[in-house]
Amino acid sequence: MAARGLRFLVLILSVASICDAATFNPISDSHRSAALELFTPTDGSLKSLEETFEALRTFEVLGIDKKSKIKGYTCRTVVDTLWSPSSALKDLFQALRVNGVLKCELNDEVFAGIASRLKDNVKDANSLLDLHYSIGSLKLIKSQTAEVDVHLEDADGIFRAIKALSQSDGRWRFSSNNPESSTYAAGIALETLAGVVALASHDIDQSLMDTLKQDILKLFDGIERYDDGSCYFDEKLVDAQGNWGPVSASSSIVRGLTSFATSTPESLNLPGDRILCLAKFFLGIGVPGNFKDLYHQIDALASLENNRISIPLILSLPSSVLSVTRKDQLKVRVNTVLGSAVPPLSVKLMQIFTSGSKDASIIDQELKFDPETKLHVLDALPENVDVGKYIFTFEILLHDPEHKKIYATGGRTKVPVYVTGVVNIDQAEIAILDSDLGNVETKKRLDLTGENTIALSANHLQKLRLTFQLTTPFGRAFKPHQAFLRLRHENGVEHIFLVRSSGKNFEITLDFLGLVEKFFYLSGRYDIQLTVGDSVMENSFLQPLGYLDLDLPDAPEKAARPPPQPVDSSSKYGPRAEITHIFRSPDKRPPTELSFAFLGLVLLPLGGFLIGLLLLRVNLRNFPSSTLPAFFAISFHIGIAAVLSLYVVFWLKLDLFTTLKALGILGISLIFTGHRTLSYLASTSAKLKSA
């Protein structure tokens, strides 16, 4: 029926995605942990000033204090970069960004020299990036010192030069020589134009500002949308500049847009839902796996957290899984994208959709606000909410009408909610039926919440029937995601059958006469197992029911044979049984007294030898008396004694190879000392004879 060898477990199913609803949560500790892992300094610094700023900006937004650990080395690099007349524009820009965070010790002379150079570069710049680095650096100098003049005299001309690179769809080109337009470049252009407005010595021509606002609206016309309410800017340009994805492109637009809105008191007339859907996109990507995307995500959210266009408010649920058995309360939290507090507001539960259905229940009930937990709480779920998957529709209502101009709520917010509970299992029976009339020959009741050890027997002319009922805690019919009956033969062949339902009743009947070929004519014992599971069913189970002794006819000559069963890897590669060796019992030892007596007899010749030396009055007059020859003679005799001792130790415990190694070392020493000793004696004897 299903793939052979499949092992069915009760699956507490992963939360299935619902197209038109999703849960968006503000920045959490997971982002802080990812930042600490991805931005890891090596020897007190990061790879480049650009990466250093991205790390510092990310840490600053997330509230992580890492400045002291990288300030020393990084500030030296910043000072060297700013003092060097050969530093590239990009390096100057990144050094000034880092200095804006670390506050390195720099005097106004450095800033004045850089500002003069940057103003000249603005006049000669022929690409968007050169203008971006030059104007961005001047803006950074303005924020770091008030003693240096960074104003742009021909601000209108610079504005027109940047605007000339714009396209009809709101995107920008990187240079006049490059016909390809880029969404990422549009964000850089907006940020650069914001710098021009901030550095201008006079007001920018209003017609230029109006034209730019139209370009911004055109840019948002090409925004991409997801069904969950999030939106993003895509990037299709792939060239020498790099390959920017939706995260970096969208972050660039947000950074440029908020910078431009801050630099001008005029309204951009952008709907708040456009800003909210961008915030949902950055929150919906979770925790990025690389430091670039993490920086773009955090920087964009920080820009959205406090901007002049519209501050997005995020509605989230601490838990989207509620249990009717435990009588869980529905709790809703409203925060900004970084989790900050929000102005006074109310949250209403407006509608409840059943998953997969367009029909909705109208609720229109306001949740109670708990000032201690800052949560909006619904004490009890509506009566029509039973075990299942739902989409709850909420609406945020701001108390102060003026706040509607500042905050974006996005109208109604849809959130997936999973209501779980303990499902009632009743009237479970298993029976053996007569194939002809369907009469019950054997019937046994089952306890599907406990243990079952039934024993049944049947032949190919009979049927097996299994029935049970499933109802929710409120008595309604419940249809689980899984309901399977499995029969497993004693040789490993198994068969899985789907248990179908009709309302509350579940029933499956197996006619063995029609299944003999599927069963490969295998008679014998079949273990019976029932699987019922669902993601909202708290008491999902995989229940062994017992076994069935099935008698089938002999297989015809051309009948299909059972497939070979996979070899259990644990039995093939697992540990083998321990091998116990039986050694020969040691021989019986002689009495201790006899052993000592034998030792005495062995040592007796040695004692006789020593006594003989004394009686014979051995002549030691030829033993060297000089220091060096005496040393060699003594070493030679000690070596002889060491060899004899080695033989004794070998007899007691050493093996042959260890003994040979030691003997080789001692032998070399004996040859050397013995040769020197004998040479001395020979020379002494020769001198005596010649005398």
Side-chain angles (χ1 to χ4, degrees):
M1 186 79 182
R4 289 184 290 268
L6 182 64
R7 302 291 195 271
F8 268 91
L9 298 176
V10 176
L11 299 179
I12 303 303
L13 300 170
S14 59
V15 176
S17 61
I18 301 179
C19 327
D20 55 352
T23 300
F24 301 97
N25 295 304
I27 293 300
S28 64
D29 289 336
S30 300
H31 292 82
R32 297 179 180 87
S33 299
L36 292 172
E37 181 179 351
L38 295 175
F39 292 104
T40 304
T42 303
D43 298 329
S45 66
L46 294 164
K47 295 180 181 178
S48 64
L49 286 174
E50 181 179 6
E51 184 177 335
T52 301
F53 172 76
E54 292 170 353
L56 290 171
R57 172 65 171 163
T58 304
F59 291 153
E60 184 179 44
V61 175
L62 296 177
I64 302 172
D65 185 14
K66 284 285 185 178
K67 295 181 184 179
S68 58
K69 294 185 177 180
I70 62 176
K71 184 173 182 178
Y73 180 87
T74 304
C75 275
R76 289 193 295 271
T77 306
V78 168
V79 172
D80 292 342
T81 303
L82 296 179
W83 270 107
S84 174
S86 61
S87 296
L89 288 175
K90 181 179 179 180
D91 295 335
L92 291 174
F93 176 66
Q94 300 297 347
L96 288 169
R97 294 171 88 188
V98 172
N99 184 62
V101 180
L102 293 181
K103 311 297 182 186
C104 302
E105 295 181 2
L106 292 168
N107 54 42
D108 292 336
E109 181 184 352
V110 179
F111 291 122
I114 297 173
S116 176
R117 176 186 170 189
L118 292 172
K119 287 182 179 181
D120 294 337
N121 285 324
V122 170
K123 298 176 183 178
D124 301 333
N126 56 9
S127 71
L128 178 60
L129 288 176
D130 287 345
L131 287 166
H132 172 66
Y133 294 140
S134 300
I135 295 172
S137 297
L138 288 171
K139 188 178 178 182
L140 288 167
I141 292 175
K142 181 181 178 181
S143 66
Q144 295 174 26
T145 179
E147 304 299 326
V148 179
D149 181 20
V150 293
H151 291 94
L152 301 174
E153 297 298 333
D154 187 20
D156 286 346
I158 299 171
F159 199 102
R160 288 189 178 92
I162 300 173
K163 182 67 180 66
L165 298 175
S166 65
Q167 300 290 85
S168 58
D169 59 357
R171 296 188 292 172
W172 249 263
R173 293 175 296 162
F174 281 102
S175 68
S176 57
N177 298 326
N178 186 359
E180 296 290 338
S181 56
S182 165
T183 307
Y184 186 85
I188 292 177
L190 290 174
E191 190 176 359
T192 307
L193 290 172
V196 174
V197 174
L199 298 173
S201 57
H202 56 79
D203 292 339
I204 300 295
D205 187 353
Q206 187 59 40
S207 62
L208 294 174
M209 300 292 288
D210 293 339
T211 305
L212 181 61
K213 292 179 185 178
Q214 294 299 319
D215 289 343
I216 293 174
L217 294 177
K218 292 177 183 178
L219 182 64
F220 272 86
D221 289 339
I223 199 168
E224 305 284 346
R225 290 184 176 274
Y226 285 123
D227 293 335
D228 59 7
S230 62
C231 59
Y232 65 96
F233 290 95
D234 201 0
E235 178 60 273
K236 300 180 176 62
L237 177 62
V238 180
D239 62 359
Q241 297 291 345
N243 181 15
W244 298 283
V247 176
S248 56
S250 301
S251 177
S252 176
I253 295 296
V254 168
R255 188 162 47 248
L257 195 64
T258 54
S259 297
F260 186 77
T262 304
S263 65
T264 175
E266 300 180 15
S267 173
L268 298 182
N269 298 322
L270 274 178
D273 61 340
R274 300 290 182 91
I275 303 300
L276 180 61
C277 73
L278 282 171
K280 289 182 177 180
F281 168 73
F282 286 109
L283 293 175
I285 63 177
V287 181
N290 64 77
F291 71 89
K292 276 288 185 184
D293 285 347
L294 180 62
Y295 160 71
H296 286 306
Q297 179 196 42
I298 299 301
D299 185 59
L301 291 174
S303 300
L304 294 172
E305 174 80 0
N306 187 15
N307 68 87
R308 287 190 61 254
I309 306 172
S310 189
I311 300 175
L313 298 181
I314 303 299
L315 184 146
S316 60
L317 273 61
S319 175
S320 60
V321 179
L322 306 175
S323 172
V324 294
T325 304
R326 297 192 302 267
K327 298 181 180 180
D328 291 343
Q329 294 178 321
L330 174 64
K331 299 178 181 179
V332 175
R333 178 184 289 112
V334 180
N335 294 104
T336 63
V337 292
L338 296 183
S340 302
V342 296
L345 54 82
S346 300
V347 176
K348 276 190 174 183
L349 175 60
M350 304 302 295
Q351 292 177 305
I352 296 179
F353 293 85
T354 302
S355 179
S357 173
K358 296 183 179 180
D359 299 330
S361 301
I362 308 299
I363 306 299
D364 195 9
Q365 183 175 354
E366 183 175 339
L367 280 64
K368 296 179 181 179
F369 179 68
D370 186 351
E372 294 184 1
T373 60
K374 307 297 182 182
L375 296 174
H376 300 263
V377 182
L378 184 65
D379 292 330
L381 294 174
E383 295 181 356
N384 61 332
V385 176
D386 203 344
V387 173
K389 307 176 185 70
Y390 298 91
I391 298 174
F392 283 24
T393 304
F394 299 94
E395 186 172 355
I396 300 174
L397 303 174
L398 294 166
H399 293 173
D400 188 347
E402 292 298 320
H403 287 159
K404 295 180 181 179
K405 302 176 183 179
I406 304 174
Y407 297 93
T409 61
R412 295 189 176 183
T413 303
K414 294 181 178 180
V415 180
V417 176
Y418 300 83
V419 181
T420 66
V422 176
V423 175
N424 300 316
I425 309 170
D426 303 309
Q427 300 183 18
E429 294 180 347
I430 189 168
I432 300 297
L433 310 179
D434 180 73
S435 180
D436 295 331
L437 303 177
N439 296 327
V440 177
E441 296 189 1
T442 305
K443 181 171 69 174
K444 295 188 178 182
R445 298 190 65 85
L446 299 172
D447 179 14
L448 297 183
T449 60
E451 295 184 358
N452 296 276
T453 55
I454 63 168
L456 299 173
S457 61
N459 56 41
H460 67 287
L461 299 177
Q462 294 176 313
K463 300 178 181 180
L464 173 69
R465 184 180 69 190
L466 172 67
T467 59
F468 57 92
Q469 288 186 352
L470 296 180
T471 56
T472 67
F474 295 100
R476 301 185 181 97
F478 178 75
K479 186 176 181 179
H481 187 269
Q482 291 183 347
F484 298 111
L485 180 68
R486 184 178 75 169
L487 271 66
R488 179 184 176 86
H489 192 261
E490 53 192 348
N491 69 354
V493 178
E494 60 182 34
H495 308 277
I496 300 172
F497 304 91
L498 176 65
V499 182
R500 302 188 181 276
S501 65
S502 176
K504 300 179 181 179
N505 298 315
F506 287 75
E507 180 176 338
I508 182 172
T509 301
L510 301 181
D511 186 354
F512 295 123
L513 184 60
L515 294 173
V516 289
E517 291 185 1
K518 183 178 288 294
F519 280 45
F520 305 106
Y521 295 90
L522 290 177
S523 300
R525 172 170 170 162
Y526 286 82
D527 292 328
I528 307 172
Q529 190 179 73
L530 178 64
T531 299
V532 176
D534 196 283
S535 59
V536 296
M537 182 177 174
E538 295 180 5
N539 56 332
S540 300
F541 62 86
L542 187 152
Q543 180 71 261
L545 304 181
Y547 69 90
L548 169 69
D549 191 0
L550 186 60
D551 183 17
L552 298 180
D554 295 335
E557 184 177 351
K558 297 183 180 181
R561 298 299 177 187
Q565 298 304 301
V567 178
D568 187 2
S569 59
S570 62
S571 63
K572 184 176 181 180
Y573 301 106
R576 300 300 183 185
E578 182 180 357
I579 301 175
T580 303
H581 296 278
I582 301 176
F583 297 95
R584 181 174 63 87
S585 57
D587 295 333
K588 186 177 180 181
R589 294 180 177 273
T592 306
E593 296 79 5
L594 181 60
S595 299
F596 280 117
F598 180 76
L599 177 61
L601 291 175
V602 171
L603 296 177
L604 184 60
L606 178 60
F609 171 73
L610 296 176
I611 294 172
L613 291 177
L614 294 175
L615 294 176
L616 294 174
R617 297 180 180 180
V618 176
N619 184 6
L620 298 178
R621 287 180 300 173
N622 289 333
F623 196 86
S625 58
S626 301
T627 305
L628 189 60
F631 171 76
F632 286 122
I634 294 172
S635 299
F636 175 74
H637 288 84
I638 292 175
I640 295 291
V643 170
L644 296 175
S645 301
L646 179 63
Y647 289 158
V648 174
V649 177
F650 166 66
W651 177 261
L652 294 176
K653 63 177 183 179
L654 289 184
D655 57 80
L656 180 60
F657 294 101
T658 304
T659 304
L660 290 176
K661 290 178 183 178
L663 187 60
I665 296 173
L666 291 175
I668 294 173
S669 175
L670 285 173
I671 292 173
F672 177 73
T673 56
H675 179 267
R676 295 300 298 267
T677 302
L678 292 176
S679 297
Y680 173 76
L681 294 177
S683 62
T684 303
S685 177
K687 290 178 181 179
L688 292 175
K689 290 180 180 180
S690 62

